[in-house]
Amino acid sequence: MVFFTSLIILVVLCGVSIGGTVHKVGDSDGWTIMSVNNYDEWSSSKTFQVEDSLVFKYNKDFHDVTEVTHNDFKLCEPSKPLTRYETGSDTIILTKPGLQHFICGFPGHCDMGQKLQIHVLPASLGPVAAPVPRPVRSPSSFSSPSPSPLAPQYQMGPSPAPLSAASNSNVWIGLCFIPLLLLFILVCYIYTRFVLLFFTFLVQSLY
């Protein structure tokens, strides 16, 4: 019984070390044409880390999810996607730190505000607030509604440098060593109890 309980603890510990937060983009509104600042406001209230995931919910007849470069994000240019998702319910796992950019590839939707930029932190940093700077709107978006004067735009700053791979590896090795150490202690404890019971039985049989 003790052995199975320890195995369950080991599985839980491993699950905690590799799990991530699920972020539904836009919350109840989902991925759709919204006012220019809504997705900026939504992302600024979240902390994104490696192994978290983004869930995009939308009507696939009218929208898609197109991952693009920083340049194409500023220009609302969907013709050279890094990846394109079109199922209407897409889950994207964040696998690397840094800035990631998503737009709707349907004509005019990005210019109307259907675009998302997030800053992904390395998994070892923990929940640290990381506000995302607002992107500069492209001059080519003259046909879209003008943003409110109450919502100023700011020039994008340089992406912060991620932690080195070596320090990330050390943290993961440390996290995985803890459950292995617990399992080793448990095995030693069970073996010691077994040896004591065996010698007790042996002494009692001799007398």
Side-chain angles (χ1 to χ4, degrees), residues 27-53:
D27 295 325
S28 59
D29 292 325
W31 180 240
T32 184
I33 301 175
M34 304 170 70
S35 65
V36 172
N37 298 309
N38 274 7
Y39 288 116
D40 291 334
E41 292 172 3
W42 178 84
S43 62
S44 67
S45 67
K46 312 291 182 184
T47 299
F48 304 96
Q49 295 177 265
V50 171
E51 295 183 0
D52 286 359
S53 56

Side-chain angles (χ1 to χ4, degrees), residues 130-147:
V132 177
R134 299 183 188 278
V136 177
R137 285 177 62 78
S138 164
S140 65
S141 60
F142 58 86
S143 61
S144 62
S146 299

Side-chain angles (χ1 to χ4, degrees), residues 176-192:
C176 292
F177 179 74
I178 293 173
L180 292 176
L181 179 61
L182 290 175
L183 182 60
F184 176 76
I185 292 172
L186 173 65
V187 171
C188 290
Y189 172 78
I190 294 174
Y191 178 77
T192 304

Side-chain angles (χ1 to χ4, degrees), residues 20-25 42 46 48 51-55 91:
T21 303
V22 177
H23 305 278
K24 182 182 178 184
V25 177
W42 178 84
K46 312 291 182 184
F48 304 96
E51 295 183 0
D52 286 359
S53 56
L54 299 178
V55 176
T91 299

Side-chain angles (χ1 to χ4, degrees), residues 22-25 30-31 53-65 84-93:
V22 177
H23 305 278
K24 182 182 178 184
V25 177
W31 180 240
S53 56
L54 299 178
V55 176
F56 289 84
K57 295 281 189 180
Y58 56 93
N59 186 333
K60 66 179 181 179
D61 294 329
F62 301 102
H63 307 286
D64 66 16
V65 179
R84 179 167 284 140
Y85 305 88
E86 301 173 309
T87 69
S89 179
D90 304 310
T91 299
I92 302 173
I93 299 175

